[in-house]
Amino acid sequence: MKRLITFLLALILFTLPGWNITADAQGDELVLSLSSVEASPGDTIELVVSIESNPGIAGMQFGFEYDNSKLELLEGEPTGGLGGLANFVTQYVWANFGDTTYTGEIFKLSFKVKDNISEGGLTEVGITGAIVGNWAQEVLPYQIKPGGVNILIKHNLERVEAKSATCTEAGNITYWKCTDCGKLFRDGEGKEEIDAQSIVLPSLGHNAGHFAAVDPTCQDTGNIEYWYCDRC
């Protein structure tokens, strides 16, 4: 049923009297934007598609691109703000009998952040293959503002106490280590990752003073030439 509805909507978009997809409109560009959120592995999140600077539109379709190794698309749902008819299978398709200048939310995407992610950071979600038209034989220019999911990895952090360097052995600063993935951090909240070299305090080396040989006498002992470290 959904595929039939999508087909009918697409048929409306490209065959309605008055909409010639070979003509280009002039003027302000419509903006399609996606929201951004923060989430952790295993979370279910929602991204919102919105319209800004709408000069008046009567039909539109677009798809989405995202990293499916990190995100699983659960569903997409038109919000109804535009009016007209809308549907989503693999693309968002919308048509209206006349122009609307509505601005605001038009569509919501639900994703699950996959559980097996070890690298955090921003995963971009974009809009692709968009076609936007009005009721006056014009295809409208547009801009895309991608959104995404900032994936936060929860580390099990264990504090490692500082150890002073000696003449012959390196020491270390205080740091935190994740017992799951082995990553190192300068702080206990896991915000500043550091590498293994950054935690090391180099060995100091000996602070040796030179003592010359002294010959023994009848009353005093002597000594050979030697060096003495006053640190260790």
Side-chain angles (χ1 to χ4, degrees):
M1 178 60 72
K2 282 188 175 182
R3 293 185 182 277
L4 177 60
I5 294 172
T6 301
F7 172 76
L8 293 174
L9 287 170
L11 188 64
I12 291 171
L13 282 176
F14 295 110
T15 61
L16 278 175
W19 192 22
N20 176 6
I21 66 170
T22 63
D24 291 328
Q26 303 297 319
D28 294 338
E29 289 188 338
L30 176 140
V31 178
L32 290 169
S33 63
L34 262 166
S35 61
S36 295
V37 298
E38 290 187 343
S40 299
D43 287 351
T44 298
I45 55 93
E46 185 176 86
L47 297 182
V48 176
V49 181
S50 299
I51 286 182
E52 307 166 28
S53 304
N54 185 355
I57 59 175
M60 175 169 49
Q61 72 177 45
F62 52 79
F64 299 95
E65 55 185 359
Y66 57 92
D67 187 345
N68 59 15
S69 69
K70 296 181 178 180
L71 300 176
E72 176 187 355
L73 178 60
L74 301 179
E75 62 177 347
E77 181 182 4
T79 64
L82 278 171
L85 299 173
N87 194 50
F88 177 73
V89 178
T90 58
Q91 286 197 324
Y92 171 78
V93 183
W94 168 80
N96 192 50
F97 289 92
D99 289 336
T100 175
T101 57
Y102 169 84
T103 58
E105 297 180 1
I106 63 170
F107 192 77
K108 294 181 179 180
L109 285 169
S110 294
F111 288 97
K112 180 183 178 183
V113 183
K114 294 190 174 181
D115 295 305
N116 59 346
I117 298 174
S118 59
E119 293 290 334
L122 180 64
T123 296
E124 188 172 284
V125 179
I127 294 172
T128 183
I131 302 174
V132 183
N134 63 17
W135 198 253
Q137 300 185 359
E138 296 170 323
V139 170
L140 300 176
Y142 60 85
Q143 296 180 34
I144 301 294
K145 292 182 179 179
V149 184
N150 186 20
I151 300 175
L152 306 175
I153 304 298
K154 295 180 180 178
H155 295 281
N156 293 320
L157 297 179
E158 182 178 80
R159 180 185 173 102
V160 180
E161 298 296 339
K163 183 178 74 171
S164 298
T166 68
C167 293
T168 57
E169 294 184 357
N172 59 265
I173 63 172
T174 300
Y175 65 96
W176 283 259
K177 181 177 182 178
C178 178
T179 57
D180 293 329
C181 68
K183 289 185 176 181
L184 308 177
F185 298 89
R186 195 179 300 276
D187 62 295
E189 297 180 355
K191 293 182 178 179
E192 186 179 354
E193 186 177 350
I194 53 179
D195 58 31
Q197 291 182 340
S198 300
I199 68 172
V200 175
L201 298 174
S203 59
L204 301 174
H206 293 294
N207 186 30
H210 176 253
F211 291 84
V214 176
D215 294 330
T217 66
C218 295
Q219 292 82 26
D220 298 316
T221 59
N223 58 265
I224 63 172
E225 180 186 31
Y226 69 96
W227 284 258
Y228 174 77
C229 177
D230 61 10
R231 185 160 39 224
C232 67

